[in-house]
Each structure stands twice: as C-alpha cells, then as structure tokens.
Amino acid sequence: MDKIEIKGLKLDNDSLPEAMEHLESGLEEAVLYTVESVTVDMLKLAETDEQLRSTLESVSYTVLADWKLLKIAGISDTQRKNEIKEYGYFREMMHRLESASKKVFLLGGTVVETERFYRYLKEEYPDCPVGGVAAVEEWADTSEGIVNEINSTAPDAVICVISSPKRAQFFMENKDKISASLWYGMDQKRLLTRRHRLNRWLRRHLH
C-alpha cells in the first residue's frame, strides 16, 4: 500500500484500481472491513480528539476525501487529485455494491441529513438495495438499539454519515458488535455540496 504521513497519521494513498483491489480482498475476509474517508478538517480534530485519532489508526483502510491532503504531503499527482475530487473511491465502491446486489444499511446523525443522503443513494444507485435506515437522534442516545437494528437487517455494508467526531465515537464503541462485511464512514456534506454545484452548473449550461 502507498501511504502518506500527515500530523503523525499514516494514510493510504493508492490509485483507485489498487484501492479497489484492497476492498475486494477485504470483503473476502470473515471480519468487518472498515474504511474511513479523511479530510483536512478531520485531521485537525484528531489532534485533540483521541477517539477520532484511534479510529483513523485502527480502520482497515483510509480514503483521502480532500485533495488538499496531497498538497500538504507535497504530492503533485493530477490523476490522484481528480480521483479524490470526484469521490472516485465512494462512487466505484457503490457501483460494485449495486452490481452485486449487496444490501446496504444507512446510518446518519440527524433525521434531515439521513433522509437527504438516502434520497441521494436512491437517485444515484437505484438498484442498490437499502435494507435499513437509522438516524442516531431518534434513538435516545443509545447505541445498543441502533446496533440491533443494523444487525436485524443482515446488511452487507453499513454506510455511516454521522458527522465527525461523533462518527468515530460510535465506531469505536460498536465496531466489534456490527455484523456486516463492510463499514464505510464519511462526511456527507462535501459530497452532496459538490453534487448540488454540478447540478446547478448543468442547469445553467444545458437549458
């Protein structure tokens, strides 16, 4: 694996094809394959948040979700920059889950943000079965009920869009209790903001 080191944290920096090879290999294992997308803001939080730092150190794979991380690491690679800006890892991962009819469970923080991301998934990946959806704010601050809800649907993958650093807290407390092949954690705001800007540009130029 190619890695970069920023603020004492070693982050994976493979090309997209190589990253997908690691994903496929990880999904063949009997244990949960854990992936966390990383941004500059998260690294700043990780300087003082021990659970977030522990999450980034313990997951199976880290995905660069902010091209500025390359700049900080002194790397000038146009292909990698474009892969990161276009959310290449997440999109390719979702296409593979969709093609294989893998069942997904969506876990969010608030009801509003969870519903927003659910709509995005159904619009972009209509053939990917979403077996369950949960928002943490509806569960009275208890993670046990959420984990039971996740496991009751027998998902292949859990996509968690709880905002950092709360996502790290949930992950560290419950990673050993989740019955799935894949855990993917990400901040949804950047992806949905980029999609909104692209749609707005297309409306201006194509109509």
Side-chain angles (χ1 to χ4, degrees):
M1 291 185 184
D2 288 334
K3 291 183 178 288
I4 60 175
E5 185 169 340
I6 301 176
K7 297 184 181 297
L9 285 169
K10 293 182 178 180
L11 308 172
D12 296 299
N13 184 38
D14 296 302
S15 67
L16 184 55
E18 292 171 330
M20 288 299 106
E21 288 182 12
H22 295 309
L23 174 63
E24 293 294 343
S25 296
L27 294 180
E28 293 176 359
E29 300 295 328
V31 296
L32 181 67
Y33 186 72
T34 55
V35 182
E36 184 70 31
S37 61
V38 185
T39 65
V40 172
D41 289 341
M42 283 178 64
L43 291 189
K44 291 178 180 177
L45 288 172
E47 291 186 81
T48 56
D49 191 301
E50 287 299 322
Q51 281 192 315
L52 178 53
R53 190 176 189 86
S54 295
T55 295
L56 297 180
E57 291 174 335
S58 65
V59 291
S60 310
Y61 199 87
T62 51
V63 175
L64 304 186
D66 188 340
W67 68 268
K68 293 177 184 177
L69 291 169
L70 293 179
K71 185 177 181 180
I72 293 172
I75 297 174
S76 178
D77 186 326
T78 301
Q79 180 177 339
R80 283 293 294 128
K81 180 178 179 179
N82 289 336
E83 287 174 352
I84 294 169
K85 290 178 71 173
E86 297 300 324
Y87 285 84
Y89 188 103
F90 177 76
R91 295 182 189 281
E92 182 61 26
M93 178 192 76
M94 287 304 305
H95 283 308
R96 292 182 182 224
L97 293 174
E98 184 179 42
S99 297
S101 297
K102 297 295 186 181
K103 188 191 299 183
V104 168
F105 190 99
L106 174 60
L107 176 61
T110 68
V111 172
V112 171
E113 68 185 16
T114 306
E115 290 179 345
R116 184 181 298 129
F117 201 79
Y118 173 78
R119 289 195 298 271
Y120 163 79
L121 287 181
K122 298 308 294 182
E123 290 172 7
E124 294 292 323
Y125 311 99
D127 295 325
C128 184
V130 178
V133 179
V136 172
E137 74 171 4
E138 291 189 304
W139 287 85
D141 297 324
T142 173
S143 61
E144 182 179 352
I146 298 174
V147 172
N148 290 338
E149 180 72 9
I150 293 172
N151 292 341
S152 70
T153 67
D156 296 292
V158 177
I159 298 176
C160 181
V161 294
I162 301 172
S163 299
S164 296
K166 291 182 179 179
R167 183 170 70 253
Q169 178 182 351
F170 184 91
F171 173 80
M172 293 302 292
E173 292 176 353
N174 300 288
K175 60 181 179 177
D176 296 327
K177 307 171 189 175
I178 294 173
S179 299
S181 297
L182 171 66
W183 166 281
Y184 187 88
M186 67 180 295
D187 287 326
Q188 64 162 333
K189 185 176 180 179
R190 295 172 65 89
L191 174 61
L192 297 187
T193 298
R194 181 171 180 77
R195 179 173 184 257
H196 175 72
R197 289 173 178 169
L198 176 60
N199 289 342
R200 187 170 56 186
W201 185 92
L202 289 171
R203 286 195 298 270
R204 282 204 311 265
H205 292 81
L206 297 181
H207 294 284

